[in-house]
């Protein structure tokens, strides 16, 4: 496998069962019990989805994204199982503290999500993987000592390999993937383990008889491009060969949104009050990340689960809660006045801001910013 990359060493950190582990920190007595963190939609007592679960609950099949009722069935013989609602503010505060520590390790830092980050330690290590391993161990103990949390950590020559290394041993993993071991590491892994390959891509690859990353790396590139398009086809081929030139750098978010499920379906603009916390959160986020938005949009989901949106672009940017609320209210009023939603009722509502201008050169923001707190429909 030809190596055509400059010498880099990247550390990937992913906190283990993050929301559930945060709950174990403040309630240590939960550690031995199955813990399920739930995003309740508020419709009926148990409607909603599982946000995450600790590894005790996972051993019974509970995982992110399944309905809460299914999780309850899986754990119905275990009266000690605990179901808790998400407390995003607490998880975000914990995440911010950890990210601040991690950032101190290198100027080249990238927060990817609430519990994940990359750190480029090339300049400190000068190609020395033993040095990188020491840094990695230091990071793990720092997170354990200061926040009482475990993480899984991977070290490799680029982001995708470092993340795959971190994912390969969970929880509390520590994997250093030396350049000489990349080919055997990738060869027999299922393609699903490659960053960016979800269930649909996996099915498409299987129809090409590509099951492992090794098979993908040997597959005809022009055929891959034919199926996945130029960008993705080329990228998959490179990733399968262990090549990823993407630098470790903070990505600037392009939009930010918050969505909630209404307690009862609405057929008039009766939910004005429920917009206030959404708007306050958005305005707060804009202020914290020193940004202003020009486009303010509303999102709504009808009772037949059709997603629609409508937006307005201002001539100057804003971070004001009052102004965002006024725009969002006007858009919802128009939707109801024009009957464009048809005869359908509205089940979920949200606000999205975009066309974000930067007030500061280095915002600290993950690239995907729709909060998880309400994914059910
Ligand atoms: P992940 O890092 O994907 O998962 P995790 O930290 O819970 O577990 P792992 O040990 O496998 O890393 O996601 C981080 C947090 O994001 C997770 O704790 C809860 C939240 N989340 C959701 O709310 N819904 C989801 O579908 C996923 C995948 C995560
Ligand atoms: Mg995690
Ligand atoms: Mg994660």
């Amino acid at each position: 496998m030809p190596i055509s990359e400059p010498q880099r060493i990247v550390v990937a950190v992913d906190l283990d069962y993050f929301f559930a582990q945060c709950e174990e920190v403040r309630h240590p007595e939960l550690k031995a019990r199955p813990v399920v963190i739930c995003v309740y939609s508020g419709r009926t007592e148990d409607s909603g989805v599982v946000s995450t679960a600790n590894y005790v609950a996972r051993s019974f099949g509970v995982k992110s994204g399944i309905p809460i009722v299914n999780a309850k069935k899986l754990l119905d013989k275990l009266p000690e199982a605990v179901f808790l609602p998400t407390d995003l503010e607490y998880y975000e505060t914990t995440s911010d503290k950890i990210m601040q520590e991690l950032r101190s390790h290198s100027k080249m830092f990238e927060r990817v999500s609430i519990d994940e980050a990359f750190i480029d330690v090339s300049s400190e290590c000068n190609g020395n993987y033993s040095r990188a391993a020491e840094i990695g161990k230091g990071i793990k103990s720092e997170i354990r000592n200061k926040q009482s949390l475990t993480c899984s950590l991977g070290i490799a020559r680029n982001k995708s390999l470092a993340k795959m290394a971190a994912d390969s041993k969970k929880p509390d993993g520590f994997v250093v993937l030396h350049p000489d071991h990349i080919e055997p590491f990738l060869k027999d892994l299922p393609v699903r383990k490659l960053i960016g390959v979800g269930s649909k891509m996996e099915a498409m690859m299987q129809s090409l008889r590509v099951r492992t990353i090794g098979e993908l790396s040997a597959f005809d590139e022009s055929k891959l491009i034919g199926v996945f398009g130029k960008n993705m086809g080329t990228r998959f081929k490179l990733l399968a060969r262990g090549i990823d030139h993407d630098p470790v750098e903070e990505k600037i978010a392009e939009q930010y949104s918050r969505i909630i499920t209404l307690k009862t379906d609405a057929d008039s603009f009766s939910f004005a009050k429920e917009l206030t916390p959404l708007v306050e959160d958005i305005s707060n986020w804009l202020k914290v990340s020193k940004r202003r938005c020009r486009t303010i949009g509303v999102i709504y989901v009808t009772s037949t689960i059709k997603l629609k949106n409508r937006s307005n672009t201002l001539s100057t940017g804003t971070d004001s809660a009052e102004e965002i609320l006024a725009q969002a209210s006007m858009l919802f009023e128009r939707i109801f006045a024009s009957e464009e939603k048809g005869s359908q009722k509205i089940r979920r509502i949200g606000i999205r801001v975009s066309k974000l201008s930067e007030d500061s050169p280095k915002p600290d923001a993950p690239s995907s910013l729709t909060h998880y707190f309400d994914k059910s429909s």
Side-chain angles (χ1 to χ4, degrees):
M1 187 189 297
I3 295 174
S4 59
E5 281 196 287
Q7 283 256 347
R8 284 198 292 158
I9 304 186
V10 175
V11 178
V13 179
D14 188 293
L15 298 159
D16 297 323
Y17 63 103
F18 182 49
F19 293 2
Q21 206 186 170
C22 286
E23 296 295 350
E24 288 180 358
V25 169
R26 61 178 168 185
H27 304 293
E29 70 281 6
L30 296 181
K31 263 190 176 290
R33 300 163 62 175
V35 177
V36 185
I37 308 298
C38 304
V39 182
Y40 291 104
S41 71
R43 316 225 82 209
T44 60
E45 199 189 338
D46 281 341
S47 66
V49 291
V50 169
S51 164
T52 192
N54 68 357
Y55 280 75
V56 184
R58 286 184 199 194
S59 69
F60 295 92
V62 178
K63 56 182 180 186
S64 295
I66 66 168
I68 297 166
V69 277
N70 294 13
K72 291 211 161 159
K73 273 184 211 140
L74 289 166
L75 299 173
D76 68 349
K77 303 235 160 32
L78 299 155
E80 71 273 26
V82 192
F83 295 82
L84 298 170
T86 54
D87 179 355
L88 265 188
E89 215 176 302
Y90 166 51
Y91 314 142
E92 272 169 356
T93 311
T94 307
S95 166
D96 287 347
K97 286 185 197 151
I98 293 170
M99 295 296 162
Q100 209 173 334
E101 294 283 343
L102 293 181
R103 181 174 277 113
S104 68
H105 286 275
S106 166
K107 282 201 183 73
M108 294 174 83
F109 171 85
E110 179 178 341
R111 180 181 186 169
V112 188
S113 74
I114 192 162
D115 83 330
E116 247 168 273
F118 291 112
I119 309 156
D120 187 321
V121 293
S122 313
S123 63
E124 215 180 311
C125 297
N126 206 11
N128 182 337
Y129 276 76
S130 310
R131 174 72 195 117
E134 275 170 36
I135 296 176
K137 286 200 177 127
I139 289 173
K140 275 178 76 82
S141 3
E142 191 176 84
I143 299 177
R144 190 192 296 272
N145 295 341
K146 295 199 172 152
Q147 304 299 332
S148 310
L149 290 172
T150 64
C151 67
S152 293
L153 189 144
I155 297 177
R157 70 176 183 206
N158 60 43
K159 292 201 302 191
S160 84
L161 288 171
K163 174 70 177 137
M164 287 165 78
D167 286 348
S168 70
K169 200 164 176 289
K170 264 189 162 289
D172 206 10
F174 179 77
V175 177
V176 180
L177 184 54
H178 194 272
D180 296 341
H181 299 141
I182 295 171
E183 194 173 348
F185 172 79
L186 292 177
K187 199 168 152 281
D188 298 321
L189 277 184
V191 281
R192 183 66 196 266
K193 299 280 180 190
L194 204 64
I195 305 303
V197 176
S199 57
K200 273 192 200 144
M201 301 277 174
E202 181 188 30
M204 286 160 85
M205 289 193 191
Q206 268 169 359
S207 67
L208 300 172
R209 294 183 195 285
V210 172
R211 289 168 302 107
T212 64
I213 296 181
E215 286 166 355
L216 181 61
S217 78
F219 199 77
D220 183 77
E221 186 168 347
S222 55
K223 282 191 194 149
L224 276 183
I225 291 174
V227 175
F228 295 103
K230 175 95 182 119
N231 281 351
M232 243 192 284
T234 320
R235 182 157 168 79
F236 283 151
K237 178 81 180 182
L238 283 172
L239 290 181
R241 292 165 61 214
I243 299 172
D244 176 13
H245 297 294
D246 199 23
V248 173
E249 63 184 5
E250 214 71 93
K251 302 283 184 285
I252 293 162
E254 285 166 9
Q255 61 171 50
Y256 183 83
S257 54
R258 290 225 106 158
I259 304 173
I260 51 161
T261 302
L262 296 171
K263 290 237 156 41
T264 49
D265 293 351
D267 53 9
S268 69
F269 185 36
S270 53
F271 49 82
K273 270 204 190 119
E274 301 198 40
L275 295 179
T276 307
L278 302 188
V279 161
E280 277 171 2
D281 175 84
I282 290 172
S283 161
N284 184 47
W285 179 80
L286 286 167
K287 284 174 182 157
V288 167
S289 57
K290 300 198 170 37
R291 239 91 62 78
R292 286 164 183 270
C293 65
R294 276 185 54 222
T295 299
I296 295 158
V298 296
I299 309 161
Y300 65 96
V301 182
T302 64
S303 40
T304 52
I305 322 294
K306 293 219 165 52
L307 177 75
K308 308 211 174 168
N309 51 63
R310 195 169 175 150
S311 66
N312 203 11
T313 298
L314 310 170
S315 51
T316 52
T318 182
D319 59 6
S320 139
E322 291 74 32
E323 190 157 3
I324 298 169
L325 181 62
Q327 290 292 329
S329 304
M330 183 189 72
L331 289 165
F332 274 120
E333 272 160 8
R334 268 197 219 152
I335 289 163
F336 283 102
S338 67
E339 285 293 323
E340 68 182 75
K341 63 172 186 50
S343 55
Q344 293 181 6
K345 290 189 170 188
I346 292 184
R347 170 173 290 190
R348 304 179 70 203
I349 53 159
I351 301 179
R352 175 192 294 149
V353 293
S354 53
K355 283 209 190 343
L356 304 174
S357 64
E358 267 183 87
D359 281 355
S360 87
K362 273 279 166 203
D364 168 16
S367 50
S368 162
L369 288 157
T370 299
H371 275 277
Y372 284 123
F373 78 116
D374 187 14
K375 292 201 340 185
S376 62
S377 45

